[in-house]
Amino acid sequence: MRSFALAAASAAFAISLVACSAAPGATGPGVTLPPGVPTLPPGVPTLPPAAGGVCAGMPTFSAAAPTPTFTQDEALNAKFPAAIDGQPVTNIQSGFWLQSMCYYGASAQEVASFLAIFPANVAPQISSGSADVELDGASVDIQAFRVPGSDASLIFSHIPEFIAALGGDPATAADSVVTQSNIGGKNVYVITDVDGDVTYNYVSGDTIFSVDSSEEAAAAVFAALP
């Protein structure tokens, strides 16, 4: 089983939406959120909204409707370096995490439990993204998870809640070991799962960058980050 990457699992939801976002007629003026629900970033599409809790006002998947266009987090996109070891970073893309989770029918209760570790106004601004770079002839996938205005490292003490929010089994966290190391001159969280697969995670301000390639690749990526 592939190791649990904090950003990778969530970014898969957002990126799949971005990849399908070219569907014509998918966007509109946006939905109106009920009182008390934080305002979402611009670009919320018009599809039937999920009811109640953190997903109130969010669009939900419908096979009869075109895939909506979800807004990219340009602030997160800008955090990826332009080049690493002289190689260009490509395919930079992102999406707002709560929109994608609610769209695909994630458990609102589990999502809310995870979001409870952050201030309430942060929830709609959390985003995830990815980019690629070729290092030593191999393609390296870089994943990112951004929690604006908050300490992203809090996630490392709440892995069960995060896994549950993604629809996984929180017990999986018991099979993973989190240690700290210095890689590429940066303090890094290393997650090793029961199969020995490793994910390297570096916290840069409000964003976690994850690499599940080799330690050498992780060192090169993290060295290029602030």
Side-chain angles (χ1 to χ4, degrees):
M1 179 180 65
R2 196 61 182 154
S3 58
F4 173 69
L6 293 172
S10 59
F13 289 94
I15 293 166
S16 64
L17 292 180
V18 173
C20 298
S21 64
T27 58
V31 296
T32 301
L33 299 180
V37 176
T39 302
L40 289 166
V44 178
T46 52
L47 279 181
V54 297
C55 288
M58 297 286 183
T60 54
F61 175 78
S62 169
T67 303
T69 298
F70 284 84
T71 307
Q72 298 244 350
D73 181 1
E74 297 300 342
L76 176 56
N77 290 349
K79 287 177 175 285
F80 287 96
I84 297 172
D85 272 0
Q87 299 299 312
V89 175
T90 60
N91 299 322
I92 298 173
Q93 52 190 325
S94 63
F96 287 92
W97 185 77
L98 190 56
Q99 286 183 335
S100 57
M101 294 301 293
C102 294
Y103 180 75
Y104 278 117
S107 166
Q109 179 178 351
E110 301 296 353
V111 171
S113 295
F114 167 67
L115 293 176
I117 70 177
F118 303 109
N121 64 333
V122 170
Q125 305 300 325
I126 294 176
S127 62
S128 56
S130 72
D132 301 315
V133 65
E134 186 170 318
L135 299 175
D136 295 328
S139 179
V140 175
D141 184 41
I142 309 167
Q143 299 286 346
F145 192 80
R146 178 173 178 250
V147 189
S150 294
D151 180 5
S153 64
L154 284 172
I155 293 177
F156 292 99
S157 57
H158 293 275
I159 289 179
E161 292 95 322
F162 190 69
I163 292 178
L166 292 167
D169 182 0
T172 302
D175 297 328
S176 299
V177 177
V178 180
T179 58
Q180 295 189 51
S181 183
N182 188 286
I183 297 174
K186 304 293 174 64
N187 294 321
V188 173
Y189 290 90
V190 181
I191 300 179
T192 306
D193 73 9
V194 67
D195 295 323
D197 292 319
V198 176
T199 302
Y200 303 97
N201 305 273
Y202 167 58
V203 180
S204 177
D206 61 6
T207 303
I208 299 173
F209 289 92
S210 296
V211 173
D212 60 4
S213 185
S214 66
E215 181 174 333
E216 291 75 18
V221 171
F222 299 153
L225 293 167

